[in-house]
Amino acid sequence: MVKKKILVTGGAGYIGAHTVVELSQAGFEPVIVDNFSKSDDTLLKGIEKILGSKPVFMEGNCTDRTFLRSVFEKHQFACVMHFAAFKSVGESVQRPLYYYHNNIESLVTLLEVMKEFNVNDLIFSSSCTVYGEPDQIPVDESAPFKRAESPYGATKQMCERILEDAYSSGFRVISLRYFNPIGAHPSALLGELPIGTPNNLVPYVTQTAIGKREQLTVFGNDYTTPDGSCIRDFIHVVDLATAHMNAMQYLDKQKGDTFYNVFNLGTGVGVSVLELITKFEKATGVKLNYVIGPRRSGDVGKTYADPTKVNKELGWNAKYSVEEALLHAWQWEQKLAQ
Ligand code: UFG
């Protein structure tokens, strides 16, 4: 049987690479496009080790129309998964135009080239950042967008707006709003590879535990939460990856030439930063050196998903616990140190 080809932009990155593995194991043929602007070939090698064969890969930039055309000329895609984007909140504040240019232009160019080649189905990587500080917790998909705290957040809001405006010209689109992806592949062959000092909590935790960082700072313990630290919805990256397949299959079943829908991807359970530290220590047996510091500007105190819509309509549920995700992240960190 001919395998359906799926274009995975950003497939050498954290979430993209995990999705490539899930797609391959489910009998699809992912074609990776990446320009290594925020990664190298480490995860491509990890994919190869897990699957026992080299993934199909084309190096290039999604803002480059000529390059994208060459990809679509070579392969007939059933669906596109667009992971390629810049995602660092802090960097986006320093370099807003760099973020607007990359994240917006890559989506627009991709849509134009998809149209040219008659490829209609797209799964877009959005983020819970579109909600800002939500009025109600858990937050469902009907919550309004608040003014984005960062240029990064604004690009995700703008991309969703572009998709909402453009889908009726012949696209079938699902935007997935990720909450906090953490963890690594259970094989320890794939995981998060932050460039320089990690911004995100879990890579900072694992790097502190292994001794690469001296100590973790908990950003604030004076929030209006039970233990004072921020609350997030941490979701295992493999669960996040499998949700893309549910979304693709759901899209495939839709009749008609146009479609647009958005889904939260979270567990529905809020875990505080201090709880996460305790869970890490329990899951790994490693004591973490941490101190309480001031709040980090731009942080939302408390957010977690209402995943009812994705559970019901896409038939998807998170399977891994936060403890398992932390153990996998730790095993990945240890593997990196070998
Ligand atoms: N935190 C610390 N110490 C650290 C790093 C993080 O205490 O060294 C805390 C943060 O203050 C926050 C929590 O851990 O309360 C989670 O922080 P992350 O940076 O891991 O994740 P965020 O919730 O800030 O960001 C995530 C994604 C973004 C997305 C955002 C939307 O990484 O891409 O959710 O809310 F925009």
Side-chain angles (χ1 to χ4, degrees):
M1 212 176 75
V2 182
K3 290 182 179 179
K4 279 191 181 169
K5 289 189 180 182
I6 316 297
L7 173 59
V8 182
T9 75
Y14 177 45
I15 304 170
H18 284 85
T19 307
V20 165
V21 166
E22 297 306 310
L23 282 169
S24 303
Q25 289 177 336
F28 296 96
E29 186 179 334
V31 173
I32 299 172
V33 156
D34 207 298
N35 65 350
F36 295 136
S37 62
K38 302 285 179 194
S39 60
D40 55 25
D41 65 355
T42 308
L43 300 191
L44 294 185
K45 288 185 180 143
I47 294 171
E48 186 178 343
K49 275 202 185 133
I50 295 170
L51 299 177
S53 61
K54 261 193 192 330
V56 183
F57 170 65
M58 291 177 79
E59 186 173 347
N61 194 325
C62 292
T63 60
D64 178 348
R65 187 183 308 271
T66 312
F67 164 70
L68 272 189
R69 280 187 177 137
S70 72
V71 175
F72 280 73
E73 267 155 18
K74 194 151 184 211
H75 302 281
Q76 175 64 48
F77 296 114
C79 182
V80 175
M81 297 188 180
H82 185 43
F83 295 96
F86 296 159
K87 60 161 193 173
S88 162
V89 173
E91 188 186 36
S92 78
V93 174
Q94 304 297 321
R95 304 181 68 188
L97 297 182
Y98 178 62
Y99 268 65
Y100 286 116
H101 180 87
N102 184 72
N103 290 4
I104 308 291
E105 192 164 330
S106 63
L107 177 66
V108 173
T109 311
L110 179 64
L111 287 170
E112 286 171 345
V113 175
M114 283 174 68
K115 181 116 242 165
E116 223 178 294
F117 287 82
N118 242 330
V119 176
N120 305 320
D121 288 12
L122 174 72
I123 313 290
F124 176 71
S125 300
S126 188
S127 163
C128 67
T129 194
V130 297
Y131 299 121
E133 177 101 53
D135 296 327
Q136 274 187 346
I137 308 280
V139 56
D140 70 25
E141 291 82 353
S142 67
F145 285 10
K146 298 287 185 61
R147 189 183 154 77
E149 291 280 354
S150 68
Y152 159 74
T155 68
K156 289 295 171 190
Q157 292 184 340
M158 286 176 196
C159 285
E160 282 206 20
R161 175 63 200 263
I162 290 167
L163 292 168
E164 242 181 272
D165 289 340
Y167 85 92
S168 54
S169 64
F171 294 103
R172 293 146 42 100
V173 181
I174 290 180
S175 288
L176 297 175
R177 294 177 179 160
Y178 309 158
F179 280 69
N180 287 57
I182 61 163
H185 196 266
S187 64
L189 292 167
L190 294 179
E192 210 167 347
L193 270 181
I195 305 166
T197 311
N199 297 309
N200 295 116
L201 178 62
V202 171
Y204 212 106
V205 165
T206 55
Q207 289 195 8
T208 307
I210 207 134
K212 257 196 204 168
R213 311 272 154 209
E214 213 170 297
Q215 65 181 14
L216 169 79
T217 303
V218 172
F219 297 139
N221 67 348
D222 56 351
Y223 287 94
T224 51
T225 58
D227 64 23
S229 67
C230 290
I231 290 180
R232 293 290 183 273
D233 188 332
F234 298 99
I235 172 172
H236 196 297
V237 64
V238 172
D239 279 330
L240 204 72
T242 59
H244 290 73
M245 282 197 296
N246 291 56
M248 180 174 74
Q249 280 152 353
Y250 178 87
L251 205 49
D252 197 41
K253 279 196 224 115
Q254 302 305 314
K255 301 194 172 63
D257 298 335
T258 64
F259 183 83
Y260 186 66
N261 214 337
V262 296
F263 294 94
N264 282 342
L265 281 189
T267 65
V269 180
V271 172
S272 76
V273 174
L274 289 170
E275 281 169 345
L276 183 133
I277 292 172
T278 307
K279 284 178 189 292
F280 177 83
E281 290 180 336
K282 261 203 188 141
T284 64
V286 181
K287 200 100 194 91
L288 205 65
N289 181 21
Y290 72 90
V291 289
I292 307 291
R295 291 182 178 198
R296 179 171 73 177
S297 90
D299 267 347
V300 164
K302 180 172 161 186
T303 185
Y304 55 92
D306 177 346
T308 310
K309 188 175 168 193
V310 68
N311 297 160
K312 279 196 182 151
E313 292 183 35
L314 299 193
W316 171 90
N317 286 285
K319 301 239 161 17
Y320 287 103
S321 65
V322 171
E323 288 81 354
E324 286 168 312
L326 292 169
L327 182 62
H328 293 155
W330 175 233
Q331 288 165 342
W332 163 246
E333 189 70 62
Q334 287 175 299
K335 187 99 173 188
L336 282 176
Q338 279 171 10

